[in-house]
Amino acid sequence: MTSLLSFYQDIGPTMTLLVVLTFVLAGAVKGVIGLGLPTVAMGLLGLAMSPTQAAALLIVPSTLTNLWQLASGGHLRALLHRLWPMLVAIFFATLLGSAWLGIDSGPWAAHALGGALLVYALYGLIGPELRLNPVRETWLGPLCGLLTGLVTAATGVFVIPAVPYLQSLRLSRDEMVQALGLSFTVSTLALALGLASQDVLGAQALGASLLVLVPALLGMLGGQWLRQRISAALFKRCFFIGLGVLGAHLLVNG
């Protein structure tokens, strides 16, 4: 129990409250639009701690909520058959990128995180609706996976360019939700291995990450309740605007 709480004892009550509220909000965003938990968590926590610490905290809630998302839909076998080149590239690029780049606390790390958030927000707000010719999937999928893995290794954010690529495949709603869960699960597991190879993901970090699973799940359940009562399109627009402002702040100020 001591190892579970030691991280929060070290950072103090104010930072602990920030972590809890961040994961409630991040879970709520995921509950409404089906993605965004690690993106929101990395962005907000990046204001107050190193990207390495933030990435270690999101491992358990991100993995379990993505597995929950992955388990529903009934299209897993077909999606694995179609997406395996991208998924393999994500996995190994994240591992190699962690060894090469690493999510450290250097002066460039927060700026890189801000840049990734800003690019994702701009794409969500004004990006064109893409439609990919299936013939191009054979080479574009692995390339997308390679780039996603490198961005994940450098920033802890694994939505660019994986999400635009998956959206361009014109999957059904259920297929898209499951494909996102599949991609994010692979990214999170590879990120966890990368952090472990840097001696960042020890017992203390895993314990701290396990404890934020509760606020993340509560936020996700609240977001699913909220989804039935608000316009998902309006919420999504507000989400990307807020994410863009946050990304711009981190990009400029670090």
Side-chain angles (χ1 to χ4, degrees):
M1 187 65 180
T2 303
S3 63
L4 290 177
L5 297 175
S6 56
F7 174 82
Y8 298 102
Q9 292 170 342
D10 291 342
I11 65 175
T14 302
M15 280 290 292
T16 298
L17 180 61
L18 172 65
V19 170
V20 170
L21 293 178
T22 293
F23 277 94
V24 170
L25 176 60
V29 171
K30 186 176 180 70
V32 174
I33 65 176
L35 53 89
L37 187 151
T39 312
V40 172
M42 285 297 298
L44 291 177
L45 295 179
L47 295 171
M49 63 178 63
S50 73
T52 302
Q53 288 180 306
L57 280 175
L58 69 84
I59 292 299
V60 172
S62 180
T63 299
L64 293 184
T65 56
N66 286 327
L67 286 173
W68 181 0
Q69 184 173 332
L70 172 61
S72 61
H75 304 284
L76 181 58
R77 181 173 295 182
L79 288 171
L80 281 171
H81 179 73
R82 185 174 185 180
L83 300 177
W84 73 264
M86 181 191 80
L87 299 173
V88 170
I90 287 175
F91 186 82
F92 286 106
T94 302
L95 291 181
L96 293 174
S98 296
W100 173 38
L101 300 169
I103 310 173
D104 60 26
S105 56
W108 65 273
H111 296 289
L113 172 59
L117 296 177
L118 183 59
V119 168
Y120 180 45
L122 290 174
Y123 174 80
L125 288 170
I126 60 175
E129 210 171 307
L130 304 175
R131 189 181 187 96
L132 180 65
N133 186 326
V135 175
R136 297 179 180 173
E137 288 185 41
T138 54
W139 63 269
L140 196 54
L143 177 60
C144 172
L146 172 65
L147 295 175
T148 301
L150 293 177
V151 172
T152 300
T155 68
V157 175
F158 33 79
V159 293
I160 292 293
V163 170
Y165 173 78
L166 292 174
Q167 289 172 336
S168 74
L169 301 181
R170 299 292 180 166
L171 302 171
S172 70
R173 178 179 174 82
D174 287 344
E175 287 175 326
M176 184 63 183
V177 169
Q178 200 166 15
L180 289 171
L182 183 58
S183 176
F184 294 165
T185 297
V186 171
S187 293
T188 305
L189 292 176
L191 179 62
L193 290 174
L195 291 171
S197 70
Q198 300 175 50
D199 296 323
V200 175
L201 201 61
Q204 184 186 45
L206 281 175
S209 181
L210 180 62
L211 289 181
V212 294
L213 176 62
V214 174
L217 289 177
L218 289 175
M220 192 171 174
L221 291 172
Q224 291 173 340
W225 175 86
L226 189 62
R227 182 170 59 193
Q228 309 302 320
R229 290 160 177 81
I230 65 169
S231 165
L234 176 61
F235 183 91
K236 201 168 185 178
R237 179 167 290 274
C238 293
F239 163 68
F240 281 122
I241 290 173
L243 198 64
V245 171
L246 179 61
H249 172 78
L250 286 171
L251 182 62
V252 173
N253 298 310

